[in-house]
Amino acid sequence: MADSIEKSGDNSHLGVHQTEVERVGRHSQPSSRPGSRPGSRPGMASRQHSVAYTSRANSITAAERARRNLNAKLANPLAEYSHAELEEMGAEYAHKYYIGDASDVRAFRLGAVLARNPAAYDSVKGLDEEELEILRKEYTNRWSQPKLLYLVIILCSLCAAVQGMDETVVNGGQIFYTVQFGIDNGDERSTWLTGLLNSAPYLCCAFMGCWLTIPFNNLFGRRGTIFLTCTFSALACFWQGFVNTWWSMFVARFFLGFGIGPKSATVPIYAAETTPPAIRGALVMQWQMWTAFGIMFGYVADLVFYHVPDKHNITGLRWRLMMASAMLPAVIVVMFVFMCPESPRWYVSKGRHSRAYESMCKLRYSKIQAARDVFYMHTLLEAEAKMKLGQSKVMEIINVPRNRRAMIGSEIVMFMQQFCGVNVIAYYSSNIFLNAGFSTISALSASLGFGIINWLFAIPAIYTIDTFGRRNLLLTTFPLMALALLFTGFSFWIPGKTAHVGCIALGIYLFGIVYSPGEGPVPFTYSAEAYPLYVRAYGMSLATATTWFFNFVLSITWPSLLKRFKPQGAFGWYAAWNVVGFFLVLFFLPETKGKTLEELDQVFSVPTHIHAAYGARQVPYFFKRYLLRMDVEPEILYEEESVDYEPGTRWEREREHRDDKVV
């Protein structure tokens, strides 16, 4: 269906209003107005294998061009206005919503101009030396930020640690509570119940928790949602310490999913909406790093409480303390979350523009910065509200080829984040080490070693993900993860205890080393940038639900898989999935590193079969260039296309339209 739509150019199938399509068709020449992009790069069509796609790109439908125009305008809705128009728009915005005094109106005049291109602050007239220095520091010293913004950063980091600790305290706890609940016999019932208890939070996340993100955020805001979800996490962890049956543990852990699901989607959004662009990407990336820190801290808690003896009338005190200890970071977050400002974007979306400006002023050094960011948020939300697609955004993801290819890429990386096998180790490493012949305390210590490696090697990912690219990292790490898992599984056949346990631990640690910079940070980063802006929220909801669902599948099936396949077969199973992941990435995952939103439209407009053929041709290219050391030019697949803006001054047309309505 996708190919037939692309060829036919039938606009009714694509859901773009005819007026927009006709307008785009009338102005097909590249515009010289600000914000338009140049044509294709010289010499690109000369590539032998790019010619087929180039000819197809030239016959792009008017409807698809309209979508790209809309997406480009969402990327910068102010691109077509002059300085004078922007100043007038900023002043009118401040007056309309009764924001501040004369100094605030001045801030919005200048801030509106800066919002179009923040890096061009030197060309904005009217800024004093102090304001210029503050704006300059955004680029020369990007980590020089107000103290309250650092409190927001601490909050987001602690929320990530809550997430990680919630996931891994069960690693040590299950060694002891399965005995007390009578599900440690190794029979089929015991293995499935052990998996069910481990996977209960992710079952809730996939089918209920993640889908509460949007209503929670609409009703309670970002801070309120973080407060609620951390409260849920704290109560559920406390509850886990008092259960006495497997089914009561299941209910408590299922309830924990209401804390994990919405929080995993809300905190990165809150970080993105409160931080300046210069550090936004780094902070969103740190979610994975601090989640890894929380995972490590969960292993620490298991070791700390291992030697706690039972008290009078209390059976299993140590596993109860292990399970309840995950409430500590959640309680800390609950205590100071309301010391941080609410998201200005959330205030703007609710029509509370004055509160949005007050909140932003607390997060920036100057009123100019705050006015710039609030005005841009307001303009972007207005642009989103004016979009008319002709069909639901869910259907836009499914029916539009560009969006569907983004969905395929996102779903591949989200699925493989689980089926690469990492959470088998995160949730069951202590049991794996026990089966390998470790003592209980040694198994818990070895699990801590994995947690430390997972955290330490997540730190360089902040650099490597933008240096080597998302696709290249995955193509490199998937084969290495497969080899590490095969090495781990085959090590169970090694005779002699010392070599046996040493090789098993080595295989698991090597897996952690290659996972952390690859499948660890890439999936959420890739999913967030692959979708166009107008369907991104829906795409990310799908991506989050996908990863939690397959997390549930993996964690519930591992004990039974281990019993049926033995360690060699179970690790071999996930090694095989890593090989599958390599080919899925090779054929179906376009690179998104360093691409603007307009360029991403071009990347995901390449038909799937053409990209798959391009991936197949990369294998001999790699062999010739890196093994035979031949001088071979890389193939360039993507061709840029211009973005057209409507001639005339939109600000003047809108103002004339309002004046006509008044008359």
Side-chain angles (χ1 to χ4, degrees):
M1 179 178 178
D3 289 339
S4 65
I5 290 173
E6 287 178 335
K7 292 176 181 176
S8 68
D10 184 356
N11 301 328
S12 63
H13 289 291
L14 295 174
V16 177
H17 282 201
Q18 187 66 24
T19 55
E20 179 70 10
V21 173
E22 290 171 351
R23 185 190 64 70
V24 173
R26 289 197 304 269
H27 305 291
S28 60
Q29 297 301 315
S31 172
S32 60
R33 299 188 62 82
S36 64
R37 297 192 57 81
S40 60
R41 292 190 292 268
M44 184 170 296
S46 64
R47 304 290 183 193
Q48 178 183 355
H49 297 291
S50 300
V51 174
Y53 172 61
T54 300
S55 61
R56 185 157 185 163
N58 291 335
S59 62
I60 186 172
T61 64
E64 183 62 22
R65 188 184 296 276
R67 274 194 181 81
R68 295 184 188 179
N69 242 21
L70 293 172
N71 197 39
K73 289 177 182 180
L74 284 180
N76 190 352
L78 301 173
E80 56 184 312
Y81 295 116
S82 69
H83 281 208
E85 291 166 349
L86 289 168
E87 283 191 20
E88 189 174 348
M89 291 167 66
E92 182 174 313
Y93 173 74
H95 288 306
K96 179 180 179 180
Y97 295 106
Y98 307 102
I99 300 176
D101 52 21
S103 65
D104 297 304
V105 174
R106 171 187 173 273
F108 274 96
R109 279 185 176 277
L110 299 175
V113 177
L114 282 167
R116 188 179 74 173
N117 185 5
Y121 54 85
D122 283 331
S123 65
V124 179
K125 297 178 181 179
L127 296 171
D128 59 37
E129 284 302 319
E130 182 181 356
E131 290 165 341
L132 282 170
E133 181 60 26
I134 290 172
L135 292 169
R136 191 175 295 114
K137 276 189 174 181
E138 284 188 319
Y139 298 92
T140 60
N141 188 10
R142 61 178 185 160
W143 290 102
S144 176
Q145 302 293 341
K147 292 181 180 178
L148 203 54
L149 185 60
Y150 280 105
L151 189 64
V152 171
I153 294 171
I154 293 170
L155 172 71
C156 295
S157 301
L158 269 174
C159 287
V162 171
Q163 195 91 341
M165 199 170 177
D166 284 345
E167 293 179 27
T168 55
V169 288
V170 70
N171 190 300
Q174 66 188 333
I175 296 175
F176 309 105
Y177 70 62
T178 53
V179 177
Q180 188 167 332
F181 296 161
I183 54 174
D184 65 324
N185 302 321
D187 59 341
E188 191 166 342
R189 174 180 177 273
S190 296
T191 57
W192 280 106
L193 286 180
T194 300
L196 181 65
L197 295 185
N198 219 320
S199 63
Y202 318 118
L203 176 65
C204 177
C205 284
F207 292 102
M208 299 177 69
C210 286
W211 306 106
L212 291 174
T213 301
I214 293 175
F216 274 17
N217 277 269
N218 285 338
L219 289 172
F220 308 115
R222 312 296 188 233
R223 292 184 307 175
T225 301
I226 292 171
F227 175 83
L228 278 176
T229 54
C230 285
T231 300
F232 291 158
S233 291
L235 291 175
C237 291
F238 189 71
W239 185 357
Q240 287 176 135
F242 288 88
V243 300
N244 290 301
T245 60
W246 70 261
W247 58 264
S248 55
M249 177 66 86
F250 170 78
V251 174
R253 287 186 58 74
F254 186 88
F255 185 76
L256 180 61
F258 290 109
I260 293 176
K263 181 167 75 267
S264 66
T266 300
V267 174
I269 293 173
Y270 180 64
E273 291 177 348
T274 53
T275 53
I279 62 173
R280 185 173 300 147
L283 288 184
V284 174
M285 272 292 301
Q286 286 187 29
W287 170 262
Q288 176 66 28
M289 184 184 76
W290 289 108
T291 300
F293 177 82
I295 288 172
M296 179 191 71
F297 208 74
Y299 297 135
V300 170
D302 289 341
L303 270 175
V304 166
F305 295 114
Y306 172 74
H307 291 290
V308 174
D310 288 350
K311 301 294 184 182
H312 181 62
N313 291 331
I314 302 178
T315 304
L317 181 58
R318 58 183 168 186
W319 71 256
R320 297 179 187 277
L321 290 173
M322 290 175 185
M323 301 299 288
S325 64
M327 69 181 291
L328 177 61
V331 170
I332 296 173
V333 170
V334 166
M335 290 173 62
F336 82 92
V337 61
F338 287 107
M339 295 170 63
C340 298
E342 179 56 89
S343 162
R345 183 183 173 95
W346 184 80
Y347 277 136
V348 171
S349 69
K350 297 299 180 182
R352 298 160 69 178
H353 298 267
S354 182
R355 292 293 301 274
Y357 180 57
E358 292 173 10
S359 178
M360 190 65 82
C361 284
K362 296 175 182 177
L363 297 166
R364 303 291 186 269
Y365 275 124
S366 72
K367 288 184 176 182
I368 295 289
Q369 292 172 299
R372 174 197 66 193
D373 294 345
V374 169
F375 180 77
Y376 188 78
M377 287 177 181
H378 162 70
T379 308
L380 189 60
L381 286 170
E382 276 199 334
E384 291 173 356
K386 289 177 182 177
M387 290 185 62
K388 290 180 171 60
L389 301 170
Q391 61 181 342
S392 71
K393 291 184 178 180
V394 173
M395 296 309 296
E396 279 282 309
I397 293 177
I398 298 171
N399 288 341
V400 178
R402 180 260 182 266
N403 298 343
R404 186 168 60 249
R405 294 183 193 108
M407 178 184 71
I408 291 171
S410 170
E411 293 299 289
I412 285 173
V413 292
M414 284 298 187
F415 168 76
M416 287 308 308
Q417 186 177 53
Q418 300 306 321
F419 266 65
C420 72
V422 64
N423 283 329
V424 163
I425 298 171
Y427 305 156
Y428 293 103
S429 61
S430 296
N431 278 326
I432 292 169
F433 287 127
L434 284 173
N435 291 338
F438 285 67
S439 65
T440 303
I441 188 66
S442 297
L444 294 174
S445 301
S447 294
L448 174 59
F450 171 77
I452 293 172
I453 286 173
N454 187 37
W455 178 54
L456 289 178
F457 283 87
I459 298 173
I462 298 173
Y463 166 77
T464 57
I465 195 169
D466 284 322
T467 304
F468 299 105
R470 293 84 163 113
R471 188 169 182 266
N472 288 337
L473 279 174
L474 295 180
L475 289 175
T476 302
T477 56
F478 271 129
L480 295 176
M481 286 191 290
L483 290 174
L485 290 179
L486 284 175
F487 180 83
T488 303
F490 292 169
S491 294
F492 279 86
W493 275 320
I494 296 176
K497 183 175 180 180
T498 303
H500 178 80
V501 299
C503 287
I504 290 171
L506 176 62
I508 287 175
Y509 291 166
L510 289 174
F511 177 87
I513 289 171
V514 293
Y515 165 83
S516 295
E519 262 298 307
V522 166
F524 277 93
T525 303
Y526 190 93
S527 299
E529 62 195 3
Y531 288 101
L533 287 171
Y534 73 100
V535 294
R536 183 165 293 174
Y538 290 81
M540 281 304 296
S541 295
L542 175 62
T544 307
T546 298
T547 196
W548 289 125
F549 173 74
F550 286 108
N551 193 337
F552 161 73
V553 171
L554 178 139
S555 51
I556 195 174
T557 56
W558 174 256
S560 297
L561 186 71
L562 188 64
K563 182 176 183 294
R564 296 285 183 176
F565 284 17
K566 307 306 178 187
Q568 297 88 339
F571 281 106
W573 166 257
Y574 286 109
W577 274 110
N578 279 283
V579 175
V580 172
F582 172 83
F583 286 104
L584 289 175
V585 170
L586 180 67
F587 294 138
F588 305 116
L589 197 77
E591 179 58 80
T592 60
K593 181 196 79 169
K595 298 286 192 299
T596 65
L597 291 173
E598 296 96 321
E599 290 167 341
L600 286 172
D601 281 341
Q602 301 301 311
V603 167
F604 286 104
S605 292
V606 177
T608 303
H609 71 277
I610 290 180
H611 192 279
Y614 162 75
R617 292 192 298 271
Q618 283 192 304
V619 176
Y621 163 76
F622 177 88
F623 182 80
K624 292 176 183 177
R625 179 159 187 177
Y626 295 104
L627 297 181
L628 301 181
R629 312 302 293 178
M630 296 172 62
D631 186 14
V632 184
E633 286 293 320
E635 178 183 344
I636 299 175
L637 181 65
Y638 312 118
E639 179 182 3
E640 293 182 8
E641 185 171 334
S642 62
V643 175
D644 306 323
Y645 286 100
E646 188 171 356
T649 306
R650 188 169 71 186
W651 168 244
E652 292 175 354
R653 292 194 305 275
E654 290 178 354
R655 185 170 58 185
E656 288 170 2
H657 178 65
R658 289 197 301 270
D659 291 343
D660 290 341
K661 289 176 69 176
V662 171
V663 172

